[in-house]
PDB file of all heavy atoms in Angstrom:
ATOM      1  N   GLY R  33     -82.035   7.513 -42.081  1.00 98.00           N
ATOM      2  CA  GLY R  33     -81.418   6.200 -41.870  1.00 98.00           C
ATOM      3  C   GLY R  33     -80.187   6.313 -41.007  1.00 98.00           C
ATOM      4  O   GLY R  33     -79.260   7.090 -41.297  1.00 98.00           O
ATOM      5  N   PRO R  36     -74.800   2.366 -41.144  1.00 98.00           N
ATOM      6  CA  PRO R  36     -73.426   2.862 -41.282  1.00 98.00           C
ATOM      7  C   PRO R  36     -73.279   4.036 -42.250  1.00 98.00           C
ATOM      8  O   PRO R  36     -72.539   4.976 -41.951  1.00 98.00           O
ATOM      9  CB  PRO R  36     -72.658   1.638 -41.829  1.00 98.00           C
ATOM     10  CG  PRO R  36     -73.516   0.467 -41.562  1.00 98.00           C
ATOM     11  CD  PRO R  36     -74.912   0.917 -41.403  1.00 98.00           C
ATOM     12  N   SER R  37     -73.988   4.016 -43.404  1.00 98.00           N
ATOM     13  CA  SER R  37     -73.788   5.111 -44.361  1.00 98.00           C
ATOM     14  C   SER R  37     -74.296   6.440 -43.784  1.00 98.00           C
ATOM     15  O   SER R  37     -73.639   7.484 -43.938  1.00 98.00           O
ATOM     16  CB  SER R  37     -74.461   4.805 -45.696  1.00 98.00           C
ATOM     17  OG  SER R  37     -75.855   4.655 -45.542  1.00 98.00           O
ATOM     18  N   PHE R  59     -82.819  10.532 -38.793  1.00 98.00           N
ATOM     19  CA  PHE R  59     -84.080   9.835 -38.512  1.00 98.00           C
ATOM     20  C   PHE R  59     -83.848   8.328 -38.626  1.00 98.00           C
ATOM     21  O   PHE R  59     -83.285   7.857 -39.631  1.00 98.00           O
ATOM     22  CB  PHE R  59     -85.157  10.208 -39.544  1.00 98.00           C
ATOM     23  CG  PHE R  59     -85.770  11.558 -39.283  1.00 98.00           C
ATOM     24  CD1 PHE R  59     -85.295  12.691 -39.918  1.00 98.00           C
ATOM     25  CD2 PHE R  59     -86.836  11.668 -38.405  1.00 98.00           C
ATOM     26  CE1 PHE R  59     -85.859  13.919 -39.679  1.00 98.00           C
ATOM     27  CE2 PHE R  59     -87.404  12.908 -38.160  1.00 98.00           C
ATOM     28  CZ  PHE R  59     -86.937  14.044 -38.797  1.00 98.00           C
ATOM     29  N   ASP R  60     -84.208   7.591 -37.610  1.00 97.00           N
ATOM     30  CA  ASP R  60     -84.232   6.134 -37.710  1.00 97.00           C
ATOM     31  C   ASP R  60     -85.099   5.600 -36.584  1.00 97.00           C
ATOM     32  O   ASP R  60     -84.863   5.915 -35.427  1.00 97.00           O
ATOM     33  CB  ASP R  60     -82.848   5.507 -37.646  1.00 97.00           C
ATOM     34  CG  ASP R  60     -82.814   4.108 -38.261  1.00 97.00           C
ATOM     35  OD1 ASP R  60     -83.735   3.322 -38.005  1.00 97.00           O
ATOM     36  OD2 ASP R  60     -81.868   3.821 -39.023  1.00 97.00           O
ATOM     37  N   LYS R  62     -85.552   2.403 -35.912  1.00 93.00           N
ATOM     38  CA  LYS R  62     -85.119   1.094 -35.415  1.00 93.00           C
ATOM     39  C   LYS R  62     -84.591   1.159 -33.994  1.00 93.00           C
ATOM     40  O   LYS R  62     -83.713   1.972 -33.717  1.00 93.00           O
ATOM     41  CB  LYS R  62     -84.034   0.564 -36.375  1.00 93.00           C
ATOM     42  CG  LYS R  62     -83.787  -0.911 -36.232  1.00 93.00           C
ATOM     43  CD  LYS R  62     -82.964  -1.422 -37.397  1.00 93.00           C
ATOM     44  CE  LYS R  62     -83.787  -1.609 -38.633  1.00 93.00           C
ATOM     45  NZ  LYS R  62     -83.848  -2.913 -39.174  1.00 93.00           N
ATOM     46  N   ASN R  73     -79.670  -4.445 -38.241  1.00 93.00           N
ATOM     47  CA  ASN R  73     -79.599  -4.214 -39.699  1.00 93.00           C
ATOM     48  C   ASN R  73     -79.076  -5.433 -40.437  1.00 93.00           C
ATOM     49  O   ASN R  73     -78.408  -5.323 -41.468  1.00 93.00           O
ATOM     50  CB  ASN R  73     -78.786  -2.948 -40.004  1.00 93.00           C
ATOM     51  CG  ASN R  73     -79.682  -1.724 -40.038  1.00 93.00           C
ATOM     52  OD1 ASN R  73     -80.865  -1.825 -40.385  1.00 93.00           O
ATOM     53  ND2 ASN R  73     -79.166  -0.561 -39.666  1.00 93.00           N
ATOM     54  N   CYS R  75     -77.014  -8.483 -40.901  1.00 94.00           N
ATOM     55  CA  CYS R  75     -75.871  -8.877 -41.761  1.00 94.00           C
ATOM     56  C   CYS R  75     -75.021  -9.874 -41.009  1.00 94.00           C
ATOM     57  O   CYS R  75     -75.254 -10.165 -39.837  1.00 94.00           O
ATOM     58  CB  CYS R  75     -75.134  -7.632 -42.247  1.00 94.00           C
ATOM     59  SG  CYS R  75     -73.570  -7.220 -41.535  1.00 94.00           S
ATOM     60  N   ALA R  76     -74.015 -10.451 -41.700  1.00 96.00           N
ATOM     61  CA  ALA R  76     -73.178 -11.471 -41.068  1.00 96.00           C
ATOM     62  C   ALA R  76     -72.269 -10.861 -39.998  1.00 96.00           C
ATOM     63  O   ALA R  76     -71.779 -11.559 -39.104  1.00 96.00           O
ATOM     64  CB  ALA R  76     -72.355 -12.194 -42.111  1.00 96.00           C
ATOM     65  N   GLY R  77     -72.015  -9.583 -40.120  1.00 96.00           N
ATOM     66  CA  GLY R  77     -71.249  -8.878 -39.094  1.00 96.00           C
ATOM     67  C   GLY R  77     -69.753  -8.999 -39.214  1.00 96.00           C
ATOM     68  O   GLY R  77     -69.026  -8.867 -38.206  1.00 96.00           O
ATOM     69  N   LEU R  78     -69.242  -9.265 -40.413  1.00 97.00           N
ATOM     70  CA  LEU R  78     -67.799  -9.274 -40.594  1.00 97.00           C
ATOM     71  C   LEU R  78     -67.356  -7.845 -40.880  1.00 97.00           C
ATOM     72  O   LEU R  78     -67.815  -7.209 -41.830  1.00 97.00           O
ATOM     73  CB  LEU R  78     -67.457 -10.187 -41.774  1.00 97.00           C
ATOM     74  CG  LEU R  78     -65.972 -10.544 -41.947  1.00 97.00           C
ATOM     75  CD1 LEU R  78     -65.460 -11.316 -40.738  1.00 97.00           C
ATOM     76  CD2 LEU R  78     -65.760 -11.378 -43.214  1.00 97.00           C
ATOM     77  N   ARG R 130     -74.969  -6.320 -35.596  1.00 95.00           N
ATOM     78  CA  ARG R 130     -75.471  -5.029 -36.061  1.00 95.00           C
ATOM     79  C   ARG R 130     -76.536  -4.491 -35.126  1.00 95.00           C
ATOM     80  O   ARG R 130     -76.782  -3.301 -35.079  1.00 95.00           O
ATOM     81  CB  ARG R 130     -76.035  -5.182 -37.486  1.00 95.00           C
ATOM     82  CG  ARG R 130     -75.025  -5.655 -38.520  1.00 95.00           C
ATOM     83  CD  ARG R 130     -74.000  -4.591 -38.827  1.00 95.00           C
ATOM     84  NE  ARG R 130     -74.603  -3.383 -39.345  1.00 95.00           N
ATOM     85  CZ  ARG R 130     -74.977  -3.193 -40.606  1.00 95.00           C
ATOM     86  NH1 ARG R 130     -74.787  -4.143 -41.486  1.00 95.00           N
ATOM     87  NH2 ARG R 130     -75.516  -2.056 -40.986  1.00 95.00           N
ATOM     88  N   VAL R 165     -89.337   8.264 -41.505  1.00 98.00           N
ATOM     89  CA  VAL R 165     -89.696   9.288 -42.505  1.00 98.00           C
ATOM     90  C   VAL R 165     -90.677   8.674 -43.489  1.00 98.00           C
ATOM     91  O   VAL R 165     -90.426   7.565 -43.993  1.00 98.00           O
ATOM     92  CB  VAL R 165     -88.432   9.812 -43.219  1.00 98.00           C
ATOM     93  CG1 VAL R 165     -88.810  10.710 -44.395  1.00 98.00           C
ATOM     94  CG2 VAL R 165     -87.555  10.578 -42.236  1.00 98.00           C
ATOM     95  N   ALA R 196     -80.229   7.505 -46.505  1.00 98.00           N
ATOM     96  CA  ALA R 196     -79.349   6.362 -46.172  1.00 98.00           C
ATOM     97  C   ALA R 196     -80.213   5.201 -45.693  1.00 98.00           C
ATOM     98  O   ALA R 196     -79.952   4.599 -44.669  1.00 98.00           O
ATOM     99  CB  ALA R 196     -78.364   6.792 -45.082  1.00 98.00           C
ATOM    100  N   CYS R 197     -81.273   4.910 -46.470  1.00 98.00           N
ATOM    101  CA  CYS R 197     -82.328   3.995 -45.973  1.00 98.00           C
ATOM    102  C   CYS R 197     -82.038   2.534 -46.272  1.00 98.00           C
ATOM    103  O   CYS R 197     -82.857   1.670 -45.900  1.00 98.00           O
ATOM    104  CB  CYS R 197     -83.672   4.411 -46.599  1.00 98.00           C
ATOM    105  SG  CYS R 197     -83.689   4.232 -48.377  1.00 98.00           S
ATOM    106  N   GLY R 198     -80.917   2.189 -46.905  1.00 98.00           N
ATOM    107  CA  GLY R 198     -80.658   0.797 -47.238  1.00 98.00           C
ATOM    108  C   GLY R 198     -81.667   0.241 -48.222  1.00 98.00           C
ATOM    109  O   GLY R 198     -82.387   1.018 -48.888  1.00 98.00           O
ATOM    110  N   SER R 201     -86.232  -1.427 -46.424  1.00 96.00           N
ATOM    111  CA  SER R 201     -87.470  -0.785 -45.995  1.00 96.00           C
ATOM    112  C   SER R 201     -88.253  -0.387 -47.251  1.00 96.00           C
ATOM    113  O   SER R 201     -87.804  -0.621 -48.381  1.00 96.00           O
ATOM    114  CB  SER R 201     -87.179   0.454 -45.154  1.00 96.00           C
ATOM    115  OG  SER R 201     -86.793   1.534 -45.986  1.00 96.00           O
ATOM    116  N   PHE R 203     -88.759   2.601 -48.128  1.00 98.00           N
ATOM    117  CA  PHE R 203     -88.406   3.963 -48.550  1.00 98.00           C
ATOM    118  C   PHE R 203     -87.837   4.051 -49.973  1.00 98.00           C
ATOM    119  O   PHE R 203     -88.108   5.049 -50.664  1.00 98.00           O
ATOM    120  CB  PHE R 203     -87.499   4.652 -47.522  1.00 98.00           C
ATOM    121  CG  PHE R 203     -87.659   6.125 -47.544  1.00 98.00           C
ATOM    122  CD1 PHE R 203     -88.817   6.740 -47.132  1.00 98.00           C
ATOM    123  CD2 PHE R 203     -86.644   6.945 -48.069  1.00 98.00           C
ATOM    124  CE1 PHE R 203     -88.995   8.133 -47.207  1.00 98.00           C
ATOM    125  CE2 PHE R 203     -86.796   8.312 -48.152  1.00 98.00           C
ATOM    126  CZ  PHE R 203     -87.960   8.910 -47.707  1.00 98.00           C
ATOM    127  N   ALA R 222     -81.286 -13.006 -48.943  1.00 95.00           N
ATOM    128  CA  ALA R 222     -80.372 -13.905 -48.268  1.00 95.00           C
ATOM    129  C   ALA R 222     -81.138 -14.482 -47.083  1.00 95.00           C
ATOM    130  O   ALA R 222     -82.227 -14.000 -46.771  1.00 95.00           O
ATOM    131  CB  ALA R 222     -79.147 -13.142 -47.763  1.00 95.00           C
ATOM    132  N   GLN R 224     -80.475 -15.800 -42.999  1.00 97.00           N
ATOM    133  CA  GLN R 224     -79.461 -15.880 -41.945  1.00 97.00           C
ATOM    134  C   GLN R 224     -80.046 -16.460 -40.681  1.00 97.00           C
ATOM    135  O   GLN R 224     -81.230 -16.273 -40.390  1.00 97.00           O
ATOM    136  CB  GLN R 224     -78.950 -14.481 -41.604  1.00 97.00           C
ATOM    137  CG  GLN R 224     -78.141 -13.848 -42.675  1.00 97.00           C
ATOM    138  CD  GLN R 224     -77.173 -12.798 -42.101  1.00 97.00           C
ATOM    139  OE1 GLN R 224     -76.019 -12.805 -42.437  1.00 97.00           O
ATOM    140  NE2 GLN R 224     -77.667 -11.945 -41.264  1.00 97.00           N
ATOM    141  N   LYS R 307     -82.653  -8.365 -47.682  1.00 95.00           N
ATOM    142  CA  LYS R 307     -82.361  -8.227 -49.105  1.00 95.00           C
ATOM    143  C   LYS R 307     -80.891  -7.807 -49.274  1.00 95.00           C
ATOM    144  O   LYS R 307     -80.349  -7.061 -48.448  1.00 95.00           O
ATOM    145  CB  LYS R 307     -83.239  -7.142 -49.732  1.00 95.00           C
ATOM    146  CG  LYS R 307     -84.670  -7.560 -49.929  1.00 95.00           C
ATOM    147  CD  LYS R 307     -85.365  -6.434 -50.640  1.00 95.00           C
ATOM    148  CE  LYS R 307     -86.850  -6.449 -50.424  1.00 95.00           C
ATOM    149  NZ  LYS R 307     -87.460  -5.167 -50.733  1.00 95.00           N
ATOM    150  N   GLY R 325     -75.081   4.758 -49.474  1.00 98.00           N
ATOM    151  CA  GLY R 325     -75.095   3.371 -48.986  1.00 98.00           C
ATOM    152  C   GLY R 325     -75.742   2.412 -49.964  1.00 98.00           C
ATOM    153  O   GLY R 325     -75.803   2.658 -51.179  1.00 98.00           O
ATOM    154  N   ASP R 326     -76.275   1.316 -49.424  1.00 98.00           N
ATOM    155  CA  ASP R 326     -76.856   0.255 -50.260  1.00 98.00           C
ATOM    156  C   ASP R 326     -77.953   0.767 -51.203  1.00 98.00           C
ATOM    157  O   ASP R 326     -78.144   0.221 -52.281  1.00 98.00           O
ATOM    158  CB  ASP R 326     -77.512  -0.797 -49.377  1.00 98.00           C
ATOM    159  CG  ASP R 326     -76.523  -1.834 -48.851  1.00 98.00           C
ATOM    160  OD1 ASP R 326     -75.311  -1.592 -49.018  1.00 98.00           O
ATOM    161  OD2 ASP R 326     -76.957  -2.854 -48.289  1.00 98.00           O
ATOM    162  N   ASN R 335     -68.266  -6.951 -47.992  1.00 95.00           N
ATOM    163  CA  ASN R 335     -67.730  -5.717 -47.444  1.00 95.00           C
ATOM    164  C   ASN R 335     -68.662  -4.510 -47.694  1.00 95.00           C
ATOM    165  O   ASN R 335     -68.188  -3.396 -47.946  1.00 95.00           O
ATOM    166  CB  ASN R 335     -66.334  -5.434 -48.037  1.00 95.00           C
ATOM    167  CG  ASN R 335     -65.419  -4.734 -47.049  1.00 95.00           C
ATOM    168  OD1 ASN R 335     -65.862  -4.350 -45.960  1.00 95.00           O
ATOM    169  ND2 ASN R 335     -64.177  -4.537 -47.422  1.00 95.00           N
ATOM    170  N   GLY R 336     -69.966  -4.764 -47.615  1.00 97.00           N
ATOM    171  CA  GLY R 336     -70.951  -3.696 -47.878  1.00 97.00           C
ATOM    172  C   GLY R 336     -70.816  -2.539 -46.896  1.00 97.00           C
ATOM    173  O   GLY R 336     -71.117  -1.395 -47.253  1.00 97.00           O
ATOM    174  N   ILE R 337     -70.363  -2.821 -45.676  1.00 98.00           N
ATOM    175  CA  ILE R 337     -70.238  -1.733 -44.704  1.00 98.00           C
ATOM    176  C   ILE R 337     -69.170  -0.761 -45.181  1.00 98.00           C
ATOM    177  O   ILE R 337     -69.330   0.450 -45.071  1.00 98.00           O
ATOM    178  CB  ILE R 337     -69.905  -2.291 -43.306  1.00 98.00           C
ATOM    179  CG1 ILE R 337     -71.073  -3.164 -42.820  1.00 98.00           C
ATOM    180  CG2 ILE R 337     -69.645  -1.170 -42.312  1.00 98.00           C
ATOM    181  CD1 ILE R 337     -70.835  -3.887 -41.491  1.00 98.00           C
TER     182      ILE R 337
HETATM  183  C1  FAD I 517     -77.205 -11.386 -45.422  1.00 52.71           C
HETATM  184  C2  FAD I 517     -76.277 -10.204 -45.461  1.00 52.71           C
HETATM  185  C3  FAD I 517     -75.010 -10.332 -44.909  1.00 52.71           C
HETATM  186  C4  FAD I 517     -74.119  -9.253 -44.949  1.00 52.71           C
HETATM  187  N1  FAD I 517     -72.912  -9.392 -44.372  1.00 52.71           N
HETATM  188  C5  FAD I 517     -72.042  -8.368 -44.368  1.00 52.71           C
HETATM  189  C6  FAD I 517     -70.808  -8.467 -43.685  1.00 52.71           C
HETATM  190  O1  FAD I 517     -70.501  -9.480 -43.039  1.00 52.71           O
HETATM  191  N2  FAD I 517     -69.954  -7.421 -43.731  1.00 52.71           N
HETATM  192  C7  FAD I 517     -70.271  -6.267 -44.407  1.00 52.71           C
HETATM  193  O2  FAD I 517     -69.434  -5.351 -44.461  1.00 52.71           O
HETATM  194  N3  FAD I 517     -71.472  -6.119 -45.020  1.00 52.71           N
HETATM  195  C8  FAD I 517     -72.352  -7.139 -45.006  1.00 52.71           C
HETATM  196  N4  FAD I 517     -73.593  -6.979 -45.588  1.00 52.71           N
HETATM  197  C9  FAD I 517     -73.912  -5.715 -46.248  1.00 52.71           C
HETATM  198  C10 FAD I 517     -74.252  -4.618 -45.231  1.00 52.71           C
HETATM  199  O3  FAD I 517     -75.215  -5.086 -44.310  1.00 52.71           O
HETATM  200  C11 FAD I 517     -74.799  -3.377 -45.942  1.00 52.71           C
HETATM  201  O4  FAD I 517     -73.995  -3.096 -47.062  1.00 52.71           O
HETATM  202  C12 FAD I 517     -74.823  -2.145 -45.039  1.00 52.71           C
HETATM  203  O5  FAD I 517     -75.597  -2.398 -43.889  1.00 52.71           O
HETATM  204  C13 FAD I 517     -75.404  -0.945 -45.785  1.00 52.71           C
HETATM  205  O6  FAD I 517     -75.493   0.148 -44.922  1.00 52.71           O
HETATM  206  P1  FAD I 517     -76.590   1.286 -45.172  1.00 52.71           P
HETATM  207  O7  FAD I 517     -76.347   2.334 -44.136  1.00 52.71           O
HETATM  208  O8  FAD I 517     -76.583   1.694 -46.588  1.00 52.71           O
HETATM  209  O9  FAD I 517     -78.000   0.605 -44.936  1.00 52.71           O
HETATM  210  P2  FAD I 517     -78.590  -0.196 -43.692  1.00 52.71           P
HETATM  211  O10 FAD I 517     -77.509  -0.786 -42.864  1.00 52.71           O
HETATM  212  O11 FAD I 517     -79.630  -1.090 -44.254  1.00 52.71           O
HETATM  213  O12 FAD I 517     -79.279   0.953 -42.819  1.00 52.71           O
HETATM  214  C14 FAD I 517     -80.445   1.610 -43.266  1.00 52.71           C
HETATM  215  C15 FAD I 517     -81.109   2.267 -42.076  1.00 52.71           C
HETATM  216  O13 FAD I 517     -82.142   3.136 -42.564  1.00 52.71           O
HETATM  217  C16 FAD I 517     -83.259   3.020 -41.701  1.00 52.71           C
HETATM  218  N5  FAD I 517     -84.452   3.419 -42.457  1.00 52.71           N
HETATM  219  C17 FAD I 517     -84.945   2.803 -43.565  1.00 52.71           C
HETATM  220  N6  FAD I 517     -86.044   3.484 -43.983  1.00 52.71           N
HETATM  221  C18 FAD I 517     -86.196   4.533 -43.136  1.00 52.71           C
HETATM  222  C19 FAD I 517     -87.170   5.591 -43.051  1.00 52.71           C
HETATM  223  N7  FAD I 517     -88.166   5.698 -43.936  1.00 52.71           N
HETATM  224  N8  FAD I 517     -87.047   6.497 -42.053  1.00 52.71           N
HETATM  225  C20 FAD I 517     -86.020   6.402 -41.150  1.00 52.71           C
HETATM  226  N9  FAD I 517     -85.104   5.418 -41.191  1.00 52.71           N
HETATM  227  C21 FAD I 517     -85.183   4.506 -42.178  1.00 52.71           C
HETATM  228  C22 FAD I 517     -83.271   1.545 -41.288  1.00 52.71           C
HETATM  229  O14 FAD I 517     -83.986   1.371 -40.073  1.00 52.71           O
HETATM  230  C23 FAD I 517     -81.779   1.277 -41.152  1.00 52.71           C
HETATM  231  O15 FAD I 517     -81.321   1.478 -39.844  1.00 52.71           O
HETATM  232  C24 FAD I 517     -74.506  -8.037 -45.558  1.00 52.71           C
HETATM  233  C25 FAD I 517     -75.792  -7.905 -46.108  1.00 52.71           C
HETATM  234  C26 FAD I 517     -76.664  -8.968 -46.040  1.00 52.71           C
HETATM  235  C27 FAD I 517     -78.047  -8.813 -46.587  1.00 52.71           C
END
Side-chain angles (χ1 to χ4, degrees):
S37 61
F59 282 95
D60 202 317
K62 197 166 282 241
N73 270 331
C75 106
L78 191 63
R130 299 290 300 279
V165 171
C197 63
S201 77
F203 207 69
Q224 290 205 132
K307 286 184 202 161
D326 276 11
N335 213 354
I337 297 175

